[in-house]
Amino acid sequence: FIFGVLAYYLLRRGRAATFPAWTWPVTLAVVAAVFALMRPTAERPDLGWWPCLLLGFAVPAVREMRASWFTSAAHTVAKFSYGIYLVHVPLLWVWLRAIPDLTPAARWTAFAISIVVVVVPAVLYRFIEAPMRRYGSSLAARLALTPEPDALAAATAGVP
């Protein structure tokens, strides 16, 4: 998580990305190889943060792709990613364990439809995540407009 914050900070500083978009899969492969070579273990769990640091620095260095069907699909997945994250394990349980009378092909098809076609995550986004994001934004806006107590006291000092 902290390396995502690093990438966000570096992006906000306005540094121009220098590498073309096609280098991103290569970067991911290199980082995965570094992670595999370092092999964090129970004795050395601290080794696992280096690949994340590399990605944190790499994200701002790679230019975004031009708009295409691929970027549109990626945008949709990103929009519903939190919902996908929240429901993939419960959906796996429902389709693979809780309904025993389905064939394996039917189970995996039902799971794919409910998560890949973002049916369940879309419903969660529409009725839970989007309203809560709007509420959080309005709350943050109200708090930003509310003066700090010390500033309010200083501004009203001596006013009857």
Side-chain angles (χ1 to χ4, degrees):
F1 177 78
I2 195 68
F3 299 111
V5 173
L6 169 67
Y8 179 79
Y9 171 77
L10 292 173
L11 282 168
R12 299 283 285 177
R13 292 196 58 201
R15 280 204 163 133
T18 55
F19 298 104
W22 66 264
T23 62
W24 185 243
V26 175
T27 303
L28 291 176
V30 168
V31 170
V34 168
F35 185 75
L37 290 173
M38 296 176 84
R39 281 184 257 156
T41 62
E43 296 82 33
R44 292 294 314 268
D46 57 320
L47 293 176
W49 65 274
W50 280 99
C52 297
L53 177 64
L54 292 174
L55 285 177
F57 281 111
V59 167
V62 178
R63 289 190 296 268
E64 290 189 28
M65 294 175 69
R66 288 187 292 259
S68 67
W69 67 269
F70 183 79
T71 58
S72 179
H75 174 77
T76 301
V77 169
K79 180 177 181 179
F80 300 120
S81 65
Y82 189 64
I84 293 169
Y85 166 74
L86 288 178
V87 301
H88 78 278
V89 171
L91 286 175
L92 277 171
W93 179 81
V94 165
W95 294 117
L96 303 182
R97 297 276 186 221
I99 305 174
D101 298 333
L102 296 175
T103 66
R107 291 170 191 251
W108 284 105
T109 301
F111 173 72
I113 289 171
S114 60
I115 199 142
V116 175
V117 184
V118 294
V119 173
V120 175
V123 169
L124 290 175
Y125 180 84
R126 169 72 171 91
F127 293 106
I128 297 174
E129 186 178 352
M132 293 306 288
R133 288 179 65 181
R134 282 192 300 275
Y135 174 73
S137 293
S138 68
L139 181 62
R142 278 186 296 194
L143 291 174
L145 295 176
T146 305
E148 293 291 324
D150 293 337
L152 183 59
T156 59
V159 176

